[in-house]
Amino acid sequence: MSNLPPLEDGEVVMFDHVPSFRAFKRTALLMIALTVPAVVVFLIVFPDTLWPAVPMFVTCVILMQERVRLGRYRAWITNKRVIFQGERFIALDDIKAVGKRGNGVRLAWENGGKGSKLLYPEDADALIAAIETAKDAA
């Protein structure tokens, strides 16, 4: 487990969330599929210009940026907290709900915070089960 942040006494890593490139590719294909109708509309409205390339260009820039940041979405689920890359963490006691949301798993906080998302899990159900198991063990 490389880049593992410092753990507290008695803390054990129960699940290592490494973002899945396959899940990212599914999201990318969905974004491109949603962009194609916009390109068609731009082709109809602006037939003799370069404007039809703009929606696809914007989508590709967003996807390239997301691909570069993919490694920053790593997290570790321990028996006491969920630790995000960069040593930001949420105590398991503060998590009120865990559920699938789009291309990730949403963690809703107990203290009314905005919540956090674990992006691009290989198996979202397994990640949810690991967090629920860790919460029950805590």
Side-chain angles (χ1 to χ4, degrees), residues 16 19 35 38 44 52 56-57 61 63 66 83 121:
D16 185 5
T35 302
I44 293 168
M56 193 60 74
F57 176 77
V61 167
L63 289 172
E66 193 70 5
I83 305 170

Side-chain angles (χ1 to χ4, degrees), residues 11-121:
E11 192 171 21
V12 177
V13 174
M14 298 179 76
F15 192 87
D16 185 5
H17 166 65
V18 179
S20 166
F21 189 65
R22 185 179 341 159
F24 170 75
K25 286 191 325 188
R26 281 193 309 262
T27 301
L29 288 173
L30 177 66
M31 285 182 66
I32 290 170
L34 292 174
T35 302
V36 170
V39 170
V40 170
V41 168
F42 272 60
L43 278 169
I44 293 168
V45 175
F46 307 108
D48 297 332
T49 65
L50 292 176
W51 282 103
V54 171
M56 193 60 74
F57 176 77
V58 170
T59 299
C60 289
V61 167
I62 291 169
L63 289 172
M64 185 175 61
Q65 175 190 10
E66 193 70 5
R67 173 60 183 101
V68 169
R69 295 182 347 176
L70 191 62
R72 297 182 194 165
Y73 298 134
R74 190 168 184 185
W76 296 268
I77 291 83
T78 70
N79 57 342
K80 295 183 180 181
R81 58 192 175 155
V82 176
I83 305 170
F84 296 93
Q85 186 86 15
E87 298 186 25
R88 187 175 60 90
F89 66 88
I90 302 171
L92 289 175
D93 297 335
D94 292 342
I95 298 172
K96 72 174 181 179
V98 181
K100 273 197 247 187
R101 182 80 188 236
N103 61 355
V105 173
R106 168 78 64 198
L107 305 174
W109 298 353
E110 188 73 30
N111 61 5
K114 180 181 161 187
S116 292
K117 199 170 182 184
L118 298 170
L119 295 170
Y120 308 115

Side-chain angles (χ1 to χ4, degrees), residues 116-133:
S116 292
K117 199 170 182 184
L118 298 170
L119 295 170
Y120 308 115
E122 180 70 34
D123 184 1
D125 295 325
L127 181 57
I128 291 170
I131 294 169
E132 294 293 338
T133 303

